Amino acid sequence: MWRFSSPQIIFGRDSVEHVETFRGRRCLIVTDEVIKDLGYVDSISKYLENHETVAIRADEPCTDDALELAEKMRYIQPEIIIALGGGSVIDAAKAGRILMEVDIPPEEITPFTDLEEYGFKGKTVLVAIPTTSGTGSEVTWAIVLKDEREKRKVIMANVKTMPEIAIIDPFFTYSMPENLVIWSGFDALTHAIEAFLSSFSNPFSDALASNSASMIFSNFIRSHRGEKDARENMHISATMAGMAFSNSQVGIVHALAHATGASLNIPHGLAVSAFLYPVLEFYSERGVKRLNELCLKIGHNVLQEVERLESVFEIRKIIDGSEIKMHQDEIVKKAMEDSCIVTAPFVPAEDDIAEIIERMVERCMQEES
Ligand SMILES: [Fe+2]
């Protein structure tokens, strides 16, 4: 038996007006300092009467941040939590919403944890409003937190972490800085491709994943130029890719990105953009049939398209291949322990992961010389 899970999706220009339906209820807006400084909180709070705002630091949240946020939520007792920000803010709010009700170490929350047994009653409604077009956190039931002491990523996964409502309003993406447009776009593209190639893929996730990949190939470069219709399409595509991978999972690119991010503090979007081509090239050589199916379905040579985007956005010039090479053994070990490895089109050996890293490093070095 399979299940497809998704929040209710409110989307399109001015869809943020939907928060007006929460007027009169006790709302907590969770955001970060950057979003607050951009004045975006006002575009939400003007529709509300009874609200407070908590701004977390603008960085990937760690387990302590989530616990601290949960403590504040416990004090405020909101009826509605509105997470306004990128994936980090939304992940922190998702974690906080669970941890405010249950006393359980974040790393012990898995897809098999019955949170109701720990006292979780789902007292609040979580509304996610993404301000970037990439992570898909607004529609997924996974949360990525940093464990700063262990230098690793903690993945909390449970269907109860999923927001009830996602509002996909492109307004918040118009002022995304250039790097964020590129990295978040690659993250969304990787979600779409890995969701389609995943061993857990299914007809529902396939439809969303393939349509999202196709829309991203058609809109990514124009979105980078700042064309509003393309940015709106990227915003919708990113959520569709999130819905796809939330219901089929990701694979080796994400395992490597989590490992590299934890060891070297490389932003997630940059790490996936560096590993996407080498992993796909590896799959192609290993005869992964689903890659051909994706190409046929969307009418694009996926490998060539990814290489074209990688070169347009000069990804290989940004990555420090020598630093990754120095930490190769540690990255291989962490990637092999990552849960995303399990749903790759085939489960790789340590040597396979090492080979992919070497390919990526070599490509970066070629660019330097
Ligand atoms: Fe991702």
Side-chain angles (χ1 to χ4, degrees), residues 2-256:
W2 291 66
R3 183 210 310 230
F4 184 91
S5 302
S6 168
Q8 181 183 36
I9 311 288
I10 313 288
F11 66 99
R13 292 183 189 183
D14 301 326
S15 51
V16 72
E17 289 173 7
H18 184 75
V19 299
E20 193 162 18
T21 61
F22 310 133
R23 188 187 285 272
R25 299 180 71 185
R26 197 165 55 256
C27 296
L28 171 65
I29 301 171
V30 178
T31 191
D32 68 29
E33 294 294 349
V34 173
I35 298 294
K36 201 172 160 193
D37 290 348
L38 283 167
Y40 286 169
V41 172
D42 298 341
S43 61
I44 305 285
S45 60
K46 69 182 181 186
Y47 295 110
L48 306 171
E49 285 165 347
N50 180 3
H51 66 87
E52 290 195 45
T53 301
V54 171
I56 62 171
R57 63 189 171 120
D59 195 3
E60 279 186 70
C62 64
T63 44
D64 289 347
D65 293 326
L67 290 164
E68 194 182 315
L69 182 58
E71 188 59 44
K72 286 180 182 159
M73 288 174 173
R74 218 172 285 132
Y75 178 72
I76 296 168
Q77 289 288 315
E79 293 172 82
I80 313 272
I81 296 169
I82 302 173
L84 175 70
S88 297
V89 165
I90 297 173
D91 273 3
K94 283 157 72 176
R97 190 262 285 254
I98 300 294
L99 298 169
M100 74 177 275
E101 286 195 41
V102 298
D103 185 15
I104 177 172
E107 60 273 21
E108 286 180 22
I109 298 178
T110 75
F112 310 106
T113 312
D114 182 353
L115 289 171
E116 282 163 5
E117 265 187 18
Y118 288 87
F120 181 72
K121 291 192 168 59
K123 291 177 187 165
T124 56
V125 171
L126 177 59
V127 181
I129 307 179
T131 55
T132 61
S133 313
T135 68
S137 178
E138 67 278 7
V139 288
T140 68
W141 45 284
I143 299 166
V144 182
L145 299 173
K146 266 192 311 193
D147 182 335
E148 289 184 327
R149 283 175 286 271
E150 300 285 328
K151 280 197 160 224
R152 65 182 178 125
K153 302 273 178 169
V154 174
I155 299 178
M156 284 170 65
N158 190 287
V159 76
K160 298 274 193 241
T161 66
M162 183 182 276
E164 278 72 30
I165 299 171
I167 299 177
I168 315 303
D169 190 324
F171 164 76
F172 298 106
T173 68
Y174 297 151
S175 56
M176 270 200 296
E178 196 173 321
N179 278 354
L180 203 50
V181 171
I182 298 171
W183 298 347
S184 59
F186 263 98
D187 194 21
L189 178 61
T190 307
H191 295 153
I193 295 173
E194 291 210 293
F196 194 91
L197 301 181
S198 162
S199 59
F200 282 12
S201 66
N202 57 76
F204 292 92
S205 61
D206 281 358
L208 288 159
S210 56
N211 200 13
S212 171
S214 179
M215 282 175 72
I216 293 170
F217 285 140
S218 305
N219 287 279
F220 201 167
I221 292 172
R222 288 198 308 112
S223 168
H224 181 247
R225 282 195 217 116
E227 294 181 30
K228 284 190 171 177
D229 67 309
R231 208 156 277 194
E232 187 172 337
N233 286 333
M234 287 296 286
H235 207 37
I236 288 170
S237 307
T239 297
M240 285 165 52
M243 291 165 79
F245 91 83
S246 186
N247 287 281
S248 75
Q249 311 309 313
V250 279
I252 296 177
V253 183
H254 271 78
L256 279 162

Side-chain angles (χ1 to χ4, degrees), residues 268-338:
H268 178 72
L270 177 59
V272 293
S273 62
F275 282 113
L276 181 57
Y277 183 86
V279 170
L280 292 180
E281 185 184 50
F282 180 77
Y283 287 162
S284 174
E285 288 168 12
R286 293 292 176 103
V288 171
K289 287 192 185 128
R290 290 283 290 168
L291 187 54
N292 291 340
E293 279 177 38
L294 181 59
C295 296
L296 287 172
K297 202 167 179 94
I298 66 176
H300 286 285
N301 181 318
V302 173
L303 203 53
Q304 278 176 12
E305 286 294 306
V306 169
E307 191 174 34
R308 182 174 71 93
L309 290 171
E310 198 192 49
S311 114
V312 167
F313 296 128
E314 301 186 320
I315 297 298
R316 279 171 273 159
K317 281 188 183 163
I318 310 169
I319 296 284
D320 184 351
S322 55
E323 196 186 14
I324 291 176
K325 181 80 192 145
M326 261 181 351
H327 292 80
Q328 181 169 318
D329 292 346
E330 180 186 333
I331 293 169
V332 169
K333 186 171 177 291
K334 284 182 181 164
M336 289 301 290
E337 288 168 357
D338 193 282

